Amino acid sequence: MARQGSPDRRVARRANPAFVVAIDGPAASGKGTLARALARRFTLAYLDTGRLYRAAALLVLDAGGDPADPKAAAAAARQVSVRLLEEPRLREERVGAAASVVAAIPEVRRALLAFQRDFARQPPPPFTGAVLDGRDIGTVVCPDASLKLFLTASLEERARRRLLELREKGLPAIYEEVLADLKERDLRDSMRRAAPLAAASDAVILDTTALDAEEVFERASRRVARALSSPR
Ligand code: DC
């Protein structure tokens, strides 16, 4: 039998029979909107992996803990359940900010990795494929994904979109504050040592600064259709 970590085992772990679309990019680049639309269009399961980090952050905050404390954050990450992923408070800005802090802790990332890989390898029935969005899907979680997309947009454009989103929800928001928050999150997500935000070398880069959601969807859909019809 192959020992854990032996080459045989590694090959087995990499084999991914499901069709997987990996979408990465910075905060407010439109990943979620695109991922949901692609999942609907191509009948794929969808996992917003940011929710896992948000759920871990929320558990720490609710317990009155410090998101930067590796022990508390890792313990919280191990308690994340599927049910918690539906919690509406996960979308709150304070939870997003804390998620970016817990996401920099390697033990947290390790604790959440298996869930993401299992979802990609065996999407919930009746789905035979999945879309996952996050920061390290194409580089770490699903390095053998069928298609990798990396969404970018200028900081100013992303701040504008986030501002609209917040105002649509009736939340008071100031452009300068949203911009500063995104800038800080970008820095933390891309400078951290553990699985930083990065485009995989084989990712298709989509700069959405001058595109609306529909144009992004059209372009991405063509890529997905091509990937679906090409032999793996
Ligand atoms: O996409 P989001 O805003 O819901 O993500 C919340 C935080 O979680 C974000 O600051 C980065 C982190 N994250 C991550 O490090 N890796 C992922 N795959 C998804 C999110």
Side-chain angles (χ1 to χ4, degrees), residues 20-178:
V20 174
V21 180
I23 306 182
D24 291 301
S29 57
K31 301 184 301 288
T33 306
L34 175 63
R36 257 188 306 275
L38 288 177
R40 212 174 307 123
R41 164 78 178 76
F42 294 96
T43 322
L44 301 166
Y46 169 47
L47 180 65
D48 168 0
T49 65
R51 282 184 173 261
L52 297 167
Y53 294 92
R54 285 172 181 263
L58 183 63
L59 287 172
V60 175
L61 294 176
D62 277 355
D66 176 3
D69 171 5
K71 267 208 178 115
R78 285 191 283 272
Q79 281 172 34
V80 169
S81 63
V82 174
R83 205 160 51 106
L84 187 57
L85 301 183
E86 301 306 320
E87 163 66 56
R89 286 184 301 152
L90 295 185
R91 291 318 308 167
E92 290 175 11
E93 289 300 295
R94 68 182 183 104
V95 178
S100 159
V101 175
V102 304
I105 300 169
E107 293 90 327
V108 168
R109 306 200 71 83
R110 254 197 303 280
L112 298 175
L113 191 57
F115 182 94
Q116 298 172 78
R117 286 197 172 146
D118 288 349
F119 188 96
R121 210 172 287 144
Q122 288 193 302
F127 299 105
T128 54
V131 183
L132 283 81
D133 78 22
R135 304 294 190 288
D136 61 340
I137 309 302
T139 51
V140 175
V141 179
C142 303
D144 54 351
S146 322
L147 173 67
K148 300 177 187 178
L149 300 172
F150 190 86
L151 257 57
T152 61
S154 72
L155 177 64
E156 292 73 17
E157 173 59 18
R158 287 185 288 123
R160 199 189 62 79
R161 290 177 193 168
R162 179 56 56 87
L163 187 75
L164 281 179
E165 207 178 284
L166 291 170
R167 291 200 173 148
E168 267 165 27
K169 282 190 211 152
L171 297 168
I174 299 164
Y175 176 79
E176 285 71 21
E177 281 179 17
V178 174

Side-chain angles (χ1 to χ4, degrees), residues 209-230:
T209 307
L211 303 177
D212 64 25
E214 202 137 307
E215 290 167 315
V216 176
F217 175 62
E218 287 308 323
R219 288 182 193 208
S221 289
R222 283 200 290 273
R223 294 285 183 167
V224 175
R226 208 179 302 163
L228 272 169
S229 60
S230 67

